[in-house]
Amino acid sequence: IFFFSAGSPYQPVIETLGSYPQKKFYNVSKLGGAKYVLLCSTLDTLPYSIRVLFESSVRNCDGFLVKETDAMNILDWKTKQNNVEVPFCPARVVLQDFTGIPAMVDFAAMREAVRNAGGDPMRVNPACPTDLTVDHSLQIDYIKCAIQNAPNPGGGDSQKPMAKLSPLRAQPRKLPCRGQTGCKGPCGTGDVGRGTGQFPAQIENTPILCPFHLQPLPEPETVLKNQEMEFGRNRERLQFFKWSSKVFKNISIIPPETGMAHQVNLEYLSRVVFEVKDFLYPDSVVGTDSHTTMVNGLGILGWGVGGIETEAVMLGMPVTLALPEVVGCELTGTASSLATAIDVVLSITKQLRQADVAGKFVEFFGSGVSQLSIADRTTIANMCPEYGAILSFFPVDNVTLKHLKHTGFDKAKLEVMEAYLKAVKLFRNYESSSREPEYSQVIQINLSSIIPYVSGPKRSQDRVAVTNMKSDFQACLNEKFGVKGFQIAAEKQNDIIPVHYEGNEYKLSHGSVVIAAVISCTNNCNPSVMLAAGLLAKKAVEAGLVVKPYIRTSLSPGSGMVTHYLSSSGVLPYLSKLGFEVVGYGCSTCVGNTAPLPEAIRNAIKQGDIIACGVLSGTKNFEGRVCDCVRANYLASPPLVVAYAIAGTVRIDFETEPLGTGFNGKSIYLRDIWPTRSELHGVEEECVISSMFKELKEKMEKGNKRWNLLEAPESTLFPWDLKSTYIRCPSFFDKLAKEAVSPQPIQNAHVLLYLGDSVTTDHISPAGSIARSSAAAKYLTSKGLTPREFNSYGARRGNDAVMTRGTFANIKLLNKFVGKPAPKTIHFPSGQTLDVFEAAELYQKEGIPVIILAGKKYGLGGSRDWTAKGPYLLGVKAVLAESYEKVHKSQLVGIGIAPLQFLPGENPSTLGLTGREQFSILFPPDLSPGMTLDIKTSTGKAFSVIALFENDVEITLYKYGGSLNFVARRFL
């Protein structure tokens, strides 16, 4: 169960890897015997993602958790898809902070239980390599939103307190000016115009650059204060994590101030090919974050699962999934030269959403895939929640290997990786003539159909193809005044107004661009689109093109990192030459904080009633929002903003009309200076990716001061603090014994809750803030805490006393005993109406077991670990429902609660049950999957139910009291 099964029947196909005799692997294409005679050809037709499942089943086959029939079912995917369930043993696990804390608390408690039962606690470690990212979630206490215009003509207060405003002021050291052309202000204290000098929050070790001189500034006070609050608030949790990092094997704790889980997973933790003791196998991962799917862009099979499933994998158990359909997404053609990465990604996402790929694997193939950079692929894979797929897989190819080279993989490792992936047929070569896999269905997306759009002139939802921009603007002039129209008389549509500005005469007309702003906000965070603007500017300057001086141009990066990669790639001076100088970091032009237009330009616009235009790469373009005298505003990609600024008008057909005249009077067209995708990918990989990954690696190895100085115990067992309200030893192992026992009968159980249809995990699991009147609040108050100190259920997931009290504490819970939404129930021996926890506590003191009655689809919604842990600790022995959400049913088995189902057509109403009876359930010693059980009530009624155990593994887990106790006993 560690990385391959010692008892696998497939061990005869372990081979050495060609030129690397010390490296071993399972060569699944060489399985012998009559029943495998078609294996090689069958393997060639399997989708690559299914091949990863197959290799895992072969390597981990032990005859119990993973059986030989499971491997053969995967191999026979074409006929078995959607018809069978298969186990999958991922290579590693990724946890984020909130889900990581209960998992590690369970491991700490398991060590204690194993020691108490006479075993060696040192043996208790995660069986599957696990990475836990500490600072995935950030609570913001301090915020300063500063707009560094120089000066800031937009006016207004640039400090906007949200929670607390620090009374301190950062004192950056003074830095000498480089004497850069167009300097707009001193670097001294960062006091630029009316701004505060507070530059954007950055993670430690990331240089924050003065926007005018590109010199590093000290870390801003806002970041430091938030980090200080996080360490203060979460000191107990952080100390526990640090203890875990010291004592547990097979787990890596990613320290605070490094990054969120899915980003660190992609940028640092991904192996692509695992190597353990010279044994090679594909990297794969399950994680507790829905964006775990990002890694599929690197050819790593991975998706998000719930806390209990993740913990089971850490314990050495497989996850179970229905053998999925695989939708092949064939990318053909070549994207328009003007289409940016954002255009391509959003178009593919839209088409996948329309294709109904929910609950399926998506796998990309075709000649167009090689045009997508790794950033494009991971973005598409990351958007799986948007279109409902389980994952979107991009097999490893030459583009992947080139990317890995720039992220720090050494040459020798890459050579071994390529040789191994080719040996097991997991490397895709688009230049090869080999046949494509067979898919459940194929969706074709022609990249040539993806064309760039702008949005405007008054609303962001009004999209206009760039190729139609000139004609569409003309139509807007003709249309009656409304959502698009300006109603300009035909005889005035070609009016030209001369204007004198800075000693030169210029001509304004309808469609003249007077504002051009490049902003890297939420819709333009992909490095490629900002680099495209920079490369276009470079080519324009080299060709002799200029931007008219009256156009208000600006460059407002979303963070200092954007400025950093624009500078490191050498394009920033060219943007500056065209007038696109960094004006600061924050919301600027699209919220109306642009500098006023020159008076001569404003007068000319008013004199001629000119429909002047603004072009910006922001998100808002309502009429008059950007500037009161600019009535037409278009949202465009950053390179198109630069292009329209050079052209000086939106009334241009880029295909047939030049942007302007360059050196020697030559006409320069947009196609002459537009950067190709290969140019962009080259600069992105060479200048951006390599520096970013180098920095992240240094940060990971160095850690940070607070984490490094944080004290934590080094004892084998965790020294539980009985006064702690964050970390507490749970009671899952109180009855741990060395041997399994036959399932015990449930005698005279009362019904804790009588629920209806579609009870969701939100109804069951503790989540959100802790209500002041709740059982959890009463507990925390008894510990001396005030409501201000309650924090949230998420933050207290390491305390089972809080989480148990928060189970079924949702105010929308509709218990039929109570008759209205409330987290209440009836304690029948006393007749009292109590909080669910208080009633359960009384039942446990009285030694009375409890069950839950429910309707259809019990356990709908997202997977959460406490949806099963909470009921278990409330004393629930069984759930009796009409039907279940499959994932939740498996979680109940995993914790040791029996999932029972009424026979078809039966429910409490048809059986005449009120829920006030007591129920007795007998489990036979030879309990088997799907067996029918008899139930008797205290009123004399008798009926049968189905025990929803699906296989021998689930029966075994239930007999041992759940997966936690099953694994704990193995350590004995």
Side-chain angles (χ1 to χ4, degrees), residues 178-192:
R178 291 183 180 177
Q180 199 167 314
T181 304
C183 174
K184 298 291 182 71
C187 273
T189 62
D191 190 11
V192 183

Side-chain angles (χ1 to χ4, degrees), residues 575-696:
L575 285 163
S576 179
K577 188 78 173 175
L578 293 180
F580 291 94
E581 295 199 32
V582 179
V583 296
Y585 303 86
C587 298
S588 52
T589 305
C590 63
V591 294
N593 282 334
T594 190
L597 295 178
E599 188 173 352
I601 302 300
R602 292 175 65 92
N603 290 339
I605 292 172
K606 291 179 180 179
Q607 174 192 336
D609 193 25
I610 296 296
I611 306 299
C613 296
V615 186
L616 58 150
S617 61
T619 57
K620 302 290 188 296
N621 65 332
F622 308 127
E623 186 175 12
R625 179 187 178 100
V626 174
C627 181
D628 59 356
C629 63
V630 179
R631 286 185 276 173
N633 295 288
Y634 288 92
L635 303 180
S637 66
L640 282 176
V641 172
V642 178
Y644 280 114
I646 295 170
T649 179
V650 299
R651 297 175 81 176
I652 181 173
D653 182 343
F654 286 135
E655 287 294 318
T656 60
E657 299 175 64
L659 290 174
T661 303
F663 297 126
N664 303 321
K666 181 182 178 183
S667 293
I668 307 297
Y669 292 81
L670 182 58
R671 58 179 172 270
D672 298 327
I673 62 171
W674 191 271
T676 64
R677 291 184 69 80
S678 59
E679 286 178 301
L680 275 174
H681 292 173
V683 174
E684 189 177 323
E685 292 286 350
E686 296 286 348
C687 301
V688 180
I689 300 297
S690 57
S691 63
M692 287 172 64
F693 278 78
K694 180 181 178 183
E695 187 176 320
L696 177 62

Side-chain angles (χ1 to χ4, degrees), residues 329 331-352 364 368-373 375-377 379-380 383 387 394 445-453 463 526 528-529 637 677 680-681:
C329 185
L331 302 182
T332 59
T334 302
S336 162
S337 59
L338 301 184
T340 66
I342 298 298
D343 295 319
V344 173
V345 167
L346 293 182
S347 180
I348 290 174
T349 298
K350 178 183 178 181
Q351 293 188 57
L352 286 174
F364 288 85
V369 174
S370 59
Q371 298 179 45
L372 301 180
S373 69
D376 299 336
R377 299 178 187 190
T379 304
I380 293 168
M383 295 183 80
Y387 47 85
F394 290 84
I445 298 179
N446 189 339
L447 297 180
S448 304
S449 66
I450 300 173
I451 58 176
Y453 285 85
R463 300 176 73 205
N526 190 318
S528 66
V529 290
S637 66
R677 291 184 69 80
L680 275 174
H681 292 173

Side-chain angles (χ1 to χ4, degrees), residues 268 407-408 692-702:
Y268 183 79
T407 62
M692 287 172 64
F693 278 78
K694 180 181 178 183
E695 187 176 320
L696 177 62
K697 186 177 180 180
E698 290 172 353
K699 210 162 39 231
M700 294 285 293
E701 294 171 352
K702 182 180 177 182

Side-chain angles (χ1 to χ4, degrees), residues 355-624:
D356 186 22
V357 295
K360 304 173 185 177
F361 283 10
V362 175
E363 186 168 298
F364 288 85
F365 71 103
S367 58
V369 174
S370 59
Q371 298 179 45
L372 301 180
S373 69
I374 294 299
D376 299 336
R377 299 178 187 190
T378 54
T379 304
I380 293 168
N382 184 45
M383 295 183 80
C384 278
E386 294 291 322
Y387 47 85
I390 299 174
L391 55 87
S392 284
F393 193 69
F394 290 84
V396 176
D397 59 10
N398 288 321
V399 174
T400 315
L401 295 181
K402 185 177 179 181
H403 170 83
L404 295 174
K405 177 182 177 182
H406 289 120
T407 62
F409 278 69
D410 62 63
K411 183 180 178 182
K413 188 169 184 177
L414 286 174
E415 288 175 349
V416 171
M417 180 188 299
E418 183 176 359
Y420 168 72
L421 291 172
K422 288 180 175 178
V424 292
K425 301 188 177 184
L426 287 174
F427 186 87
R428 172 163 262 161
N429 186 352
Y430 290 101
E431 298 172 0
S432 169
S433 59
S434 59
R435 62 183 294 187
E436 290 292 348
E438 296 177 1
Y439 295 105
S440 308
Q441 68 179 101
V442 173
I443 300 169
Q444 289 187 322
I445 298 179
N446 189 339
L447 297 180
S448 304
S449 66
I450 300 173
I451 58 176
Y453 285 85
V454 296
S455 293
K458 299 181 181 182
R459 304 185 306 175
S460 56
Q461 64 263 44
D462 296 325
R463 300 176 73 205
V464 182
V466 173
T467 51
N468 299 333
M469 181 66 157
K470 184 176 181 178
S471 59
D472 187 82
F473 185 79
Q474 183 63 44
C476 291
L477 295 179
N478 290 325
E479 280 186 32
K480 289 183 178 181
F481 185 82
V483 294
K484 288 196 72 172
F486 295 106
Q487 201 169 347
I488 302 298
E491 65 272 14
K492 290 183 174 292
Q493 290 181 7
N494 294 315
D495 285 357
I496 295 176
I497 307 299
V499 59
H500 290 272
Y501 180 72
E502 293 186 349
N504 293 307
E505 183 178 287
Y506 300 94
K507 296 176 181 179
L508 292 184
S509 60
H510 297 297
S512 289
V513 174
V514 293
I515 294 175
V518 173
I519 307 164
S520 65
C521 66
T522 52
N523 64 333
N524 284 309
C525 56
N526 190 318
S528 66
V529 290
M530 293 298 285
L531 284 173
L535 289 174
L536 187 142
K538 180 177 184 290
K539 290 187 173 186
V541 170
E542 291 172 344
L545 296 176
V546 296
V547 173
K548 296 177 178 65
Y550 62 78
I551 298 177
R552 277 285 184 246
T553 50
S554 61
L555 172 59
S556 178
S559 72
M561 179 56 75
V562 178
T563 308
H564 176 69
Y565 66 66
L566 289 177
S567 176
S568 64
S569 59
V571 300
L572 202 57
Y574 296 96
L575 285 163
S576 179
K577 188 78 173 175
L578 293 180
F580 291 94
E581 295 199 32
V582 179
V583 296
Y585 303 86
C587 298
S588 52
T589 305
C590 63
V591 294
N593 282 334
T594 190
L597 295 178
E599 188 173 352
I601 302 300
R602 292 175 65 92
N603 290 339
I605 292 172
K606 291 179 180 179
Q607 174 192 336
D609 193 25
I610 296 296
I611 306 299
C613 296
V615 186
L616 58 150
S617 61
T619 57
K620 302 290 188 296
N621 65 332
F622 308 127
E623 186 175 12

Side-chain angles (χ1 to χ4, degrees), residues 793-958:
Y793 283 113
R796 296 190 180 274
R797 288 174 81 161
N799 186 328
D800 66 306
V802 172
M803 299 302 285
T804 306
R805 286 166 170 81
T807 302
F808 294 113
N810 191 308
I811 59 173
K812 298 295 185 182
L813 181 74
L814 183 57
N815 180 7
K816 293 184 180 183
F817 293 150
V818 178
K820 62 180 180 179
K824 302 284 184 179
T825 195
I826 297 175
H827 175 252
F828 288 108
S830 67
Q832 299 178 80
T833 298
L834 303 170
D835 285 336
V836 174
F837 170 79
E838 292 171 343
E841 188 178 39
L842 277 179
Y843 280 127
Q844 290 193 55
K845 287 179 179 178
E846 296 161 349
I848 300 173
V850 294
I851 64 172
I852 290 172
L853 287 183
K856 300 181 182 71
K857 298 181 180 179
Y858 180 76
L860 278 173
S863 175
R864 296 179 181 172
D865 52 345
W866 278 95
T867 55
K869 287 181 176 179
Y872 177 84
L873 293 180
L874 287 175
V876 174
K877 302 299 181 184
V879 176
L880 179 52
E882 290 183 66
S883 64
Y884 292 82
E885 174 72 10
K886 178 172 174 45
V887 171
H888 183 62
K889 190 276 300 180
S890 298
Q891 290 177 333
L892 293 175
V893 175
I895 201 65
I897 296 175
L900 308 178
Q901 182 171 296
F902 290 103
L903 295 177
E906 294 186 353
N907 57 47
S909 296
T910 62
L911 293 171
L913 302 175
T914 66
R916 296 172 181 268
E917 309 90 343
Q918 287 183 273
F919 294 75
S920 296
I921 308 167
L922 182 65
F923 292 90
D926 57 346
L927 183 64
S928 60
M931 178 177 280
T932 299
L933 305 180
D934 294 325
I935 296 182
K936 294 180 180 180
T937 71
S938 55
T939 59
K941 286 188 172 67
F943 59 97
S944 297
V945 296
I946 302 169
L948 286 189
F949 301 107
E950 297 189 14
N951 49 50
D952 292 337
V953 173
E954 290 195 346
I955 295 287
T956 302
L957 293 180
Y958 181 71

